[in-house]
Amino acid sequence: MDSIDQRIVSQLVADARSSYAEIGKVVGLSAPAVKRRVDRLLDRGVLRGFTAVVDPEALGWGTEAFVEVRYRGNVSPGQIRASLEPLAEVVAAYTVSGAADAIVHLRAADIHHLEDALERLRGVDMIDRTVSTVVLSTLLERSPAPEPRNGP
């Protein structure tokens, strides 16, 4: 990925609705040249798609928690994923190092809905123990920069 590709990605991160012509003006390329580069970035998996960024609270999903999940025995990442997929409140899940096997990000309408989701999560047969942390406020949330940040 060269510096022009990085600038194209930066433009798309800032506004995925930008036209190829608008991006071309910023990076110094024609619209067809930008399209070819975007297509290449999609083919290589650098860009995984274009999506709307939605405020979950505006959709009624304003309560969230992160849950450390410990499974019984040796459980593969595929088994972990399969155990979590049926729960609509699970918006992300990660395998992690440390005492937990996974960290699960839950979203719910309110604290009662969150409690219900946690009970259903705890009811998954392979799960041994959970530790929940309810989010009070979001301090920082951003997309990755096209270029890695070095230092402060």
Side-chain angles (χ1 to χ4, degrees):
M1 197 164 100
D2 64 16
S3 64
I4 294 174
D5 286 342
Q6 289 173 343
R7 290 171 58 207
I8 290 170
V9 171
S10 290
Q11 288 299 122
L12 289 169
V13 167
D15 183 2
R17 293 176 16 160
S18 297
S19 70
Y20 295 136
E22 291 168 333
I23 296 169
K25 285 179 188 173
V26 173
V27 301
L29 294 175
S30 67
V34 171
K35 183 190 181 317
R36 283 191 298 274
R37 283 179 175 258
V38 168
D39 288 345
R40 243 189 356 255
L41 291 166
L42 285 164
D43 290 343
R44 292 188 0 229
V46 173
L47 296 173
R48 296 190 302 188
F50 306 90
T51 188
V53 179
V54 178
D55 178 2
E57 202 164 338
L59 297 178
W61 294 84
T63 303
E64 63 185 314
F66 288 90
V67 184
E68 293 180 25
V69 182
R70 294 181 179 103
Y71 285 80
R72 283 190 271 286
N74 288 334
V75 180
S76 73
Q79 290 172 302
I80 293 172
R81 179 186 176 118
S83 74
L84 299 173
E85 281 181 325
L87 301 170
E89 296 85 359
V90 174
V91 295
Y94 312 92
T95 55
V96 295
S97 63
D101 295 302
I103 299 288
V104 175
H105 184 191
L106 293 175
R107 282 204 176 269
D110 54 35
I111 200 71
H112 301 291
H113 182 191
L114 180 62
E115 182 179 23
D116 178 64
L118 285 167
E119 289 303 318
R120 285 184 282 116
L121 177 64
R122 289 183 190 118
V124 171
D125 189 41
M126 298 181 288
I127 292 179
D128 184 44
R129 183 167 183 252
T130 64
V131 177
S132 304
T133 303
V134 175
V135 174
L136 299 177
S137 63
T138 300
L139 301 176
L140 179 65
E141 190 173 80
R142 62 177 160 211
S143 298
E147 297 181 52
R149 289 178 170 83
N150 293 325

